[in-house]
Amino acid sequence: MENGANGDRKRHNGNNGNYNNNSRKRRYRDDDEVERTPQRRRYEEPIASQLRRQLLVIAEKPARSAEDEARGIGRDIANNFDDDQVRGGFLDDMMALLVEQPVKIPFIAAAVRYTNDLNSEAAKEIIARAGRLMQEYLDAGEWREFKFFLRFFACLQGILEGDGVFSVFDQLFDTAADLQAASQEDAVGLELVKIILVTIPYALTSSSGLEQKALDLLENTDIIASASHPLENLANPFPGNGDENIFEYQSIIGLLQKQLVRESTLGWSFACIPRIYNKSDDAVVNKQTLPTVTVPSPVNPGPKPVFPEAFCSLYADLSVESVPTTENIACSLIRDVIVDQINVMDFNRIAVTKFLIDLDLYWAPGTFVGRSVPFDKIKDVEEGRSPWKPEDCAIDAVFSQLLLLPAPEHKLVYYHSVVIEACRFSPGAIAPSLGRAIRYVFKNLEYLDMELAYRFLDWFAHHISNYDFRWKWSEWSEEVGRPNVHPKKAFILSSIDKEIRLSFTKRIRESLPAEYHSLIPDGKEKDIPDFKYNVETTPYAAEGRQILALLRSRAADTELQVPIDAIHSQALAHGVLDPLVSSTDAYMTAICFIGSKSLSHVLSNIERCKERLLAIGAQSDAARRQIIQSVVSYWAYHPGTAVNIVDKLLNYTIVTPESVVQWALGPDALRDGRVLAEWWRYEMVSVTMFKVTNRVRQIVKARVAGARGALGANEVQLLDDTLEKERVGERALFGSIVEAVSGLANGATEGAIIEGEGGEEEGNLVRTWAGRWARVFGRKMAVEEAIVGEAAGVEENKVDVENVE
């Protein structure tokens, strides 16, 4: 036995006896598995977590039935409502979902209705919680969130006792009527009427027997919805070209009113709204009471200014119906949901993009044609079926925000990024829709508001920069020969300039057809412009080079003053009235040349020379304007860089808003009215005025906080004095802009237009540009008066917004 054991051991350690070795390993392993491996505990996901996961993805899977999903969720809520996590965290998530994913409100409401069939107490608790939140949003003036909860209850109308949400509609209308009676310029009342009109369809879809109440309500709302509002002119995206305008202004609420009246003649079908809830034959309808809703008096206008809304579409009412026509209620309902979804989820553009791509999942089957259906195939859709493309509806909604007046809710780059992500998600579907949108806007540039034309220009350059600057430029080749002041030619020139800002000249030149190459001067090829004082024929050339050398060597001010004094002497000898202008040109040009490698380089040099530059401005307004002129002249082939530098000079207070406006639109600049077609000039003035208005708003914000007790009486009085002073300056600046261009717009200063070869055609185009400038800055002034005046409680010097042209 001992020898046998030793033999076994030898075989175990050697190369022989593999069979025994493997058997031994298996035996030991089997023993370990039986004796040592613990049994894995079975994990069961908490029911609240299961419900949360199911609710988060409801309606997102095309292979699943949304009705079955809602019924299953409702059943699980009803059967497990005694679970603390279901009554607590899960319901919190449901309430949050109503705000963050409004596209799913009908589906969530259907789940609650199924819950009500089995457990009315559970449904009662959900309704009570939603009612409390709805009241909180109403009290705070958070109109969008209030609208979401009201829509939720409208989708529950079938289980609500009595009039349900129609009792809330009546309160909202009474409040709107009072607000309109108190002030014709009130816009909060318009918002309340809009909420009523856009919610009625959900209530009528959820329940029958309330059609007459809807008709009575429409008869009342018509008074407000069909009336012309004094602030409408602030919101019109297509004001026209002088006296010519092919676009009719349409307000959101006016459109809703007409669409609902039409729908009433069609039997209130609301075919686009999904019907997810279907009561089983044996289900008992457990009626619930709508929580009490009280409209506060006075109404809280909310944290965001409210203005009338214009309906803007790039596809509606065209020869091919790729989106609902403006007479169809689906036009407003689909747009309303998409816009809300885009704006409430600005913190996650990827999720927003997914909702846009999956748009067809959240509406009734058959509302849209299939995804990615080519545009030229829409006309082949059989009669009686919807030809609407989900991609067109999505892109149309995004552009409605890009082109929203007086201002979009979020920074424009957010909407840029949504479009870019949509193209990445589904290039085959989105790209063709986007191409048609671009062509539509370009075709109608003459009629588009100038500020919106600039937004579109900015978006266009940014967008194609993400796709190797590819665009079918050959489609616009015939525009190359137009005068530079023609809106389409100006758009092309500025697009190329912005693309060069985002890349470099050689690459952009190569991306363009040959006929466009003449639009890119050779000077744009130089990343670092020449220093003009290196040319001997330039006045004060020697002194300019000396200033450059002294700045580079960081010489003392006393040394630098020597060539500056020399320039002064020569300038006086040549009869120059303000020799400081001549020396300032040399000094600022040298700073620009030294800092020409990058923006950080020029900023460091400006910082180092800040004290002298401030002293120059204090001595002479003309010299201060020369600082701007020198920057623009040095960066003549790259005006975007000049705009950035002037913006920084404003931050340093080296130049003032007044000096920027005077330089950009003063008599010297407008001697040739063609400069009004330079988009970079508009950008400079617009950025400058934003700084002015933003400062006033910040003071108002501090003043409001002070009125609530955050500041002492002396501090509040100081803010009042500062606010009054700043508002006077703000009004003066806006007034100077409008006055400067109005003369050209009205033809009162014919001599200011150098007609040259263009003759009368160019003169008319210049006058049109002047009118567009006057309209934009007149609107901006009116908006600030409306916002700041109301916030500060100041009513004097109200602007006549009705006549902003």
Side-chain angles (χ1 to χ4, degrees), residues 93 119 200 317 444 523 603 612 644 671:
D93 292 336
N119 187 337
I200 286 176
D317 300 332
N444 296 292
L603 289 181
R612 178 177 282 274
N644 284 337
R671 215 166 17 212

Side-chain angles (χ1 to χ4, degrees), residues 315-487:
Y315 304 120
D317 300 332
L318 299 180
S319 57
V320 178
E321 188 180 338
S322 65
V323 299
T325 61
T326 53
E327 68 175 9
N328 194 319
I329 187 63
C331 170
S332 294
L333 294 179
I334 294 172
R335 167 68 66 80
D336 180 66
V337 171
I338 299 175
V339 166
D340 285 338
Q341 190 62 69
I342 291 170
N343 284 328
V344 298
M345 288 197 73
D346 59 296
F347 54 86
N348 191 337
R349 69 180 188 276
I350 304 298
V352 168
T353 304
K354 187 177 185 304
F355 281 122
L356 295 181
I357 299 300
D358 295 340
L359 177 64
D360 54 330
L361 300 179
Y362 305 107
W363 298 91
T367 300
F368 301 100
V369 295
R371 300 181 191 179
S372 304
V373 171
F375 181 72
D376 56 1
K377 298 294 183 183
I378 290 181
K379 61 180 180 294
D380 299 331
V381 174
E382 61 187 76
E383 188 175 352
R385 294 192 60 186
S386 168
W388 306 334
K389 286 173 59 65
E391 304 86 8
D392 279 19
C393 289
I395 292 299
D396 209 24
V398 177
F399 270 91
S400 76
Q401 300 306 288
L402 267 171
L403 304 179
L404 181 65
L405 289 174
E409 182 170 342
H410 302 293
K411 291 184 177 180
L412 292 166
V413 70
Y414 166 62
Y415 303 105
H416 293 196
S417 65
V418 169
V419 176
I420 291 168
E421 292 297 336
C423 284
R424 290 173 179 168
F425 262 86
S426 184
I430 299 297
S433 293
L434 206 56
R436 285 185 289 109
I438 293 170
R439 294 179 181 94
Y440 179 86
V441 176
F442 184 80
K443 176 184 176 182
N444 296 292
L445 274 174
E446 295 97 317
Y447 307 100
L448 186 64
D449 180 86
M450 189 177 78
E451 180 180 357
L452 300 187
Y454 176 77
R455 289 188 206 169
F456 177 73
L457 162 68
D458 199 42
W459 167 80
F460 176 75
H462 180 197
H463 186 79
I464 65 175
S465 72
N466 285 272
Y467 300 96
D468 297 324
F469 299 97
R470 293 193 301 269
W471 173 247
K472 295 181 180 179
W473 290 99
S474 56
E475 296 181 6
W476 298 345
S477 293
E478 63 182 19
E479 309 295 341
V480 173
R482 291 185 183 272
N484 288 355
V485 290
H486 192 282

Side-chain angles (χ1 to χ4, degrees), residues 239-368:
N241 181 1
D243 295 331
E244 181 185 5
N245 191 8
I246 62 175
F247 297 92
E248 179 184 358
Y249 174 83
Q250 296 187 90
S251 70
I252 293 287
I253 63 169
L255 202 60
L256 273 166
Q257 179 76 23
K258 294 175 184 176
Q259 291 165 348
L260 284 171
V261 170
R262 174 181 177 272
E263 192 71 14
S264 69
T265 66
L266 301 176
W268 305 104
S269 61
F270 302 115
C272 65
I273 297 179
R275 274 74 166 175
I276 307 102
Y277 174 79
N278 286 296
K279 182 174 73 69
S280 59
D281 294 337
D282 58 344
V284 178
V285 177
N286 300 310
K287 288 292 185 178
Q288 300 285 350
T289 302
L290 178 70
T292 301
V293 178
T294 304
V295 180
S297 181
V299 175
N300 185 342
K304 301 172 184 175
V306 180
F307 290 96
E309 289 183 76
F311 178 79
C312 177
S313 174
L314 307 185
Y315 304 120
D317 300 332
L318 299 180
S319 57
V320 178
E321 188 180 338
S322 65
V323 299
T325 61
T326 53
E327 68 175 9
N328 194 319
I329 187 63
C331 170
S332 294
L333 294 179
I334 294 172
R335 167 68 66 80
D336 180 66
V337 171
I338 299 175
V339 166
D340 285 338
Q341 190 62 69
I342 291 170
N343 284 328
V344 298
M345 288 197 73
D346 59 296
F347 54 86
N348 191 337
R349 69 180 188 276
I350 304 298
V352 168
T353 304
K354 187 177 185 304
F355 281 122
L356 295 181
I357 299 300
D358 295 340
L359 177 64
D360 54 330
L361 300 179
Y362 305 107
W363 298 91
T367 300
F368 301 100

Side-chain angles (χ1 to χ4, degrees), residues 649-664:
L649 291 171
L650 279 166
N651 292 343
Y652 285 118
T653 67
I654 291 170
V655 299
T656 63
E658 292 81 3
S659 60
V660 173
V661 170
Q662 290 168 6
W663 176 85

